[in-house]
Every structure is written in C-alpha cells, then in structure tokens.
Amino acid sequence: GPPSWPSAVSGLVAQSAPGAAAMSSFAGRELLNPANVMEASYDAGTTLQQDNGLNFLGKEVDTGTTIMAVQYDGGVIVGADSRVSTGVYISNRASDKITAVDDRIYCCRSGSAADTQAVSDYVRYFLDQHRMEYGQPPKVATAANLFQMLCYQNKNMLTAGIIVAGWDKEKGGQVFALPIGGALMEREYATGGSGSTYIYGFCDAFFKPGMTKQQCEDFVTKGLCHAMARDGSSGGIIRMAIIDESGVERKFIAGDKLPYGPL
C-alpha cells in the first residue's frame, strides 16, 4: 500500500538532503536562500555572481527616511515621507511611518523597519497596561520614557531613530526626539532620518517659536518636500497627523501634489 505519512516525509527529506541536489530544487533555492528568489529554474546548478544586481534582496529593510514633528499652542503636527528601501531597491513607496501608541500619542519611525516596529509594539502594549492600571490616558512623557528605556538598554542591537509626539491634559502638545543610541530630548520641533541632514538650514531659517497650527503644517510640509527632493532614501507621498485635545486628524499629500520637487 501507500507509505505512511512519516515515512513519506522522511523519504522526501532524504531525497532533498544532498547539497547540490537540494540547492537545485525550488525549496532549496528560494527557502534556504531568499536572495535567490529572482533566479530562474534553468539557472539551477549555476551560481550567480556576487555583483548580479540582486544584492539588495539580502539587505535589511530600512526606513531611510525623513520624519518631522513640531508643537504649537494646543497640539502637535507630525509628518513623514513614505519610502522604505532595501539597499537600492524601494520595497514600499507608500508606507506609513507614523504609528499610534495611544489615542493621542504617536511616534515617527526611522532606521530599521523591523526594529522600530518591534519597539513601538512593545510601547503600545506597555501603555495599554498603564491605561488599565491607572484608569486614565498616559502622558506623552511616559511614552517617550518607555521608548528611551527600550532603545538605550538595547542600543547595541537596535537601529531606531524615533520621534514621539502627542497631547495630554497636563502639558498639552509635546515633542520628544530619540536619536539612534537612546538619548531623550524634549524639543519644540524635531527632525530625523537620512533626509533630515538636508534641511537643517531650512529648519533653522524658518522655524519660529509660537507658530500657529497652519504655519506649523506648512513648515512640516515644506521641510519634508525639500528633504524628499534631495535625499535618495526619502520620497513618495507625505503623511501627516495633527494631534490635539479633540483627537487626531490624518492628512495625505500625493506625490504629484507636493509644493516642491521632485527634482
């Protein structure tokens, strides 16, 4: 009769065990080495040269980014581009780098996509526990300190540059910058990611303390546009969130509706 399930499986494993034969099978090529996903079946038995244009497949997903946040009287505005790259390959052109960790507390993520997603998931979990324990919404500073604790204690293993911004009833709108390495700095505005280096001069020239909500929105929009035009790792669309006592308003600016660029 037909072989039993365990023996059939062990036979399959035995067939695919030899080194060269295993690598010539679909599973051997694509599961054991995902970088071979672009290799055709007729290439089996040949090895691709190192410089084959597909090296990006082996690199980590990087949010190589421009992120910004600015506070105004009554709230904060956070903004980010949408380009996610894997080496030179754009793996996502319309991602959302603005992540909620509580109802009125958001973070902007730059650095390794996996690292920042993991850290923000932890912080969201901790803040959910905090809210249940104390029966009221957490403060922005509480969220920022949780991010700082995780990023600093694991600084040798993480590549995470984060901006935490939000509104609470104690201090209103607040912005905290957490650069790679786990420092924590409260600021009137913060920028981050690879594109931020292109707009230090713009921000120094155009930021004024006490700007209105509309002025802050224009400041974030123009800053992101200029960074996206110059930085190869930033681009796509602009996503923004306006956070105040009434809640969160999400905004979106399409790539062909940007006030400046692409060049």
Side-chain angles (χ1 to χ4, degrees):
S4 64
W5 184 81
S7 66
V9 171
S10 62
L12 182 66
V13 172
Q15 288 170 20
S16 62
M23 289 312 294
S24 67
S25 72
F26 172 86
R29 283 198 329 276
E30 301 198 8
L31 299 183
L32 298 179
N33 185 1
N36 290 339
V37 72
M38 304 289 278
E39 193 177 342
S41 57
Y42 52 74
D43 291 328
T46 66
T47 55
L48 289 173
Q49 298 299 311
Q50 276 302 101
D51 186 20
N52 53 34
L54 303 177
N55 297 336
F56 62 83
L57 289 168
K59 297 191 178 177
E60 71 173 313
V61 177
D62 173 52
T63 58
T65 291
T66 308
I67 50 176
M68 277 184 86
V70 58
Q71 70 177 67
Y72 62 92
D73 184 25
V76 294
I77 296 177
V78 296
D81 75 308
S82 66
R83 180 170 294 179
V84 177
S85 43
T86 312
V88 297
Y89 178 73
I90 298 170
S91 50
N92 188 349
R93 64 179 183 153
S95 71
D96 188 0
K97 302 176 187 179
I98 302 172
T99 303
V101 290
D102 197 69
D103 291 349
R104 289 180 180 80
I105 306 173
Y106 278 66
C107 71
C108 299
R109 301 178 293 105
S110 73
S112 161
D115 292 355
T116 55
Q117 285 172 12
V119 170
S120 61
D121 285 349
Y122 269 113
V123 172
R124 189 183 307 111
Y125 168 70
F126 291 144
L127 292 179
D128 283 346
Q129 301 280 47
H130 186 279
R131 180 188 278 267
M132 284 189 279
E133 191 170 338
Y134 289 95
Q136 58 186 4
K139 294 190 285 190
V140 182
T142 304
N145 276 284
L146 286 169
F147 272 106
Q148 194 266 343
M149 180 185 73
L150 289 167
C151 291
Y152 185 73
Q153 289 177 358
N154 301 286
K155 65 190 293 181
N156 295 324
M157 293 167 282
L158 295 175
T159 306
I162 293 168
I163 297 172
V164 182
W167 181 93
D168 62 45
K169 64 180 187 293
E170 275 81 16
K171 290 184 68 179
Q174 296 147 79
V175 173
F176 292 88
L178 289 103
I180 291 171
L184 176 61
M185 299 167 292
E186 186 171 4
R187 292 285 184 262
E188 289 186 278
Y189 79 94
T191 62
S194 57
S196 66
T197 56
Y198 294 89
I199 55 168
Y200 283 128
F202 170 89
C203 293
D204 289 343
F206 290 100
F207 177 78
K208 303 281 186 294
M211 288 194 295
T212 64
K213 175 179 170 181
Q214 185 59 51
Q215 286 172 324
C216 288
E217 191 177 327
D218 293 343
F219 176 66
V220 169
T221 303
K222 287 178 182 171
L224 290 172
C225 283
H226 282 272
M228 290 158 67
R230 294 289 177 187
D231 177 30
S233 299
S234 302
I237 61 176
I238 288 178
R239 296 188 191 275
M240 281 194 292
I242 302 168
I243 310 164
D244 57 24
E245 185 174 5
S246 63
V248 181
E249 180 190 358
R250 295 294 300 249
K251 289 202 169 185
F252 159 92
I253 303 173
D256 58 353
K257 301 286 192 294
L258 301 174
Y260 179 82
L263 295 176

